[in-house]
Amino acid sequence: MIRLIVSDIDGTLVPEGGTYVNPEYMTVIRALLDRGVRFAAASGRQAASIDAVFHELRDEIYYLADNGAVIQKGGRAIKEQYMDGGELRALLKELRGISGQRLLLSVKEGYYTDEQDREFHRLVFEEYKGVGKVVERLEDYADTCIKLSLYCEDGAQGIYDLFYDRWKERFTIYVSGARWVDINSAGVTKGNAVRWLQERYGITPEETVVFGDNYNDISMMQRAGRSYASELSAPDVRRAAGRVAASYERDGVLTELKRILEEVQNER
């Protein structure tokens, strides 16, 4: 019996930065909710950016935002986990010496950046529908930071490789998109956010289905008896999932949700 479904957004439901999904998603998810299945959207995005996709269902589903650092429902944060300000300032000092990336801080009030690139501002505040502002100095907000993201114009993996080994014991660090690296407090993962929901409602991994496409989704795939990776995913992600769904271009997750709805209807 399926009792919990969790889906990533970027690269799974929409292209990176997208906010439009087929309206049929809302119909099918609502039908699942009506039959007692809980649904969560899990993303490296902030809750406000997740809401740009799922606003119609915001009072009925969970947002696992900032890679699970924030769990929200109905516009209210249920759980939050902040980064260590001192450690973050030390990391920022090193990252400022690495070219080819732009810094984005996620705090409770929104996204903060001290980058002056207007095209980057457009990406964050218009395409991703993020709320926030341009500030003078990110270090001044380190004590209230939930997540740090790096936008890497020429690809995330190369930047990730430059600092990961030195900081992997102090932070959770993932390549979360073709051009994004996400950094959270140690122990903050989408998988631990899924675990929190499972424990809260007495749901087992065997009763959980997960959809994802990138490395930051693997931890939640490990919390599910059934998980699907987008056909566009890297081989390691597809292996972790065990099943493959068609890409967002073909509404692959929607197809699988319809099948799950049919299963649930037959079980009941």
Side-chain angles (χ1 to χ4, degrees):
M1 180 185 297
I2 302 304
R3 297 176 60 204
L4 174 64
I5 298 172
V6 186
S7 181
D8 171 57
I9 297 178
D10 293 283
T12 302
L13 299 181
V14 300
E16 281 195 23
T19 56
Y20 173 82
V21 293
N22 185 331
E24 197 173 356
Y25 271 104
M26 306 305 163
T27 302
V28 174
I29 292 170
R30 186 168 281 115
L32 286 161
L33 294 170
D34 289 343
R35 288 159 178 80
V37 180
R38 300 180 190 276
F39 186 90
S43 179
R45 298 183 183 209
Q46 202 172 55
S49 186
I50 297 176
D51 195 62
V53 180
F54 283 107
H55 182 77
E56 182 179 332
L57 297 174
R58 74 192 304 259
D59 294 328
E60 302 169 72
I61 70 173
Y62 291 88
Y63 296 169
L64 311 184
D66 291 304
N67 291 320
V70 175
I71 300 177
Q72 179 176 302
K73 186 180 183 184
R76 183 177 67 88
I78 303 168
K79 185 175 183 291
E80 299 172 320
Q81 190 164 343
Y82 293 86
M83 301 178 76
D84 179 277
E87 292 276 18
L88 179 56
R89 289 186 188 90
L91 175 58
L92 285 169
K93 183 177 181 180
E94 177 170 330
L95 291 175
R96 290 196 185 279
I98 298 175
S99 62
Q101 49 82 22
R102 295 176 177 83
L103 301 169
L104 184 67
L105 223 62
S106 183
V107 301
K108 195 169 184 178
E109 294 74 22
Y111 289 121
Y112 289 177
T113 183
D114 55 12
E115 301 287 344
Q116 299 303 311
D117 184 344
R118 291 188 179 180
E119 185 60 25
F120 182 57
H121 301 165
R122 186 194 63 78
L123 173 71
V124 173
F125 301 120
E126 295 180 26
E127 285 192 29
Y128 279 91
K129 308 298 184 187
V131 298
K133 60 184 179 180
V134 180
V135 298
E136 186 173 333
R137 187 171 176 271
L138 285 185
E139 284 79 358
D140 295 338
Y141 302 91
D143 293 317
T144 60
C145 180
I146 295 167
K147 185 193 71 174
L148 171 66
S149 294
L150 314 181
Y151 178 71
C152 313
E153 188 83 47
D154 295 323
Q157 190 65 52
I159 300 294
Y160 170 92
D161 291 341
L162 289 176
F163 73 96
Y164 173 76
D165 284 341
R166 288 188 297 281
W167 294 93
K168 63 184 179 182
E169 302 301 327
R170 287 181 272 182
F171 296 102
T172 299
I173 308 170
Y174 285 117
V175 171
S176 58
R179 295 180 178 179
W180 289 99
V181 177
D182 283 350
I183 305 165
N184 288 92
S185 294
V188 170
T189 65
K190 290 184 180 182
N192 281 336
V194 172
R195 182 197 299 271
W196 186 89
L197 282 180
Q198 289 170 330
E199 292 176 350
R200 183 181 179 95
Y201 295 109
I203 298 170
T204 66
E206 291 70 29
E207 296 170 319
T208 304
V209 178
V210 161
F211 296 92
D213 80 301
N214 223 312
Y215 293 97
N216 61 336
D217 297 319
I218 290 176
S219 63
M220 65 178 183
M221 292 171 175
Q222 294 168 341
R223 294 296 308 168
R226 189 191 309 180
S227 55
Y228 297 81
S230 166
E231 63 184 344
L232 303 178
S233 302
D236 287 347
V237 181
R238 293 199 298 271
R239 280 192 290 270
R243 302 182 187 219
V244 175
S247 74
Y248 58 79
E249 297 168 322
R250 298 193 286 143
D251 283 336
V253 174
L254 179 59
T255 298
E256 301 303 332
L257 290 178
K258 288 178 178 178
R259 289 174 179 160
I260 294 168
L261 176 59
E262 187 174 344
E263 287 179 34
V264 171
Q265 288 171 329
N266 291 336
E267 287 170 353
R268 286 163 170 75

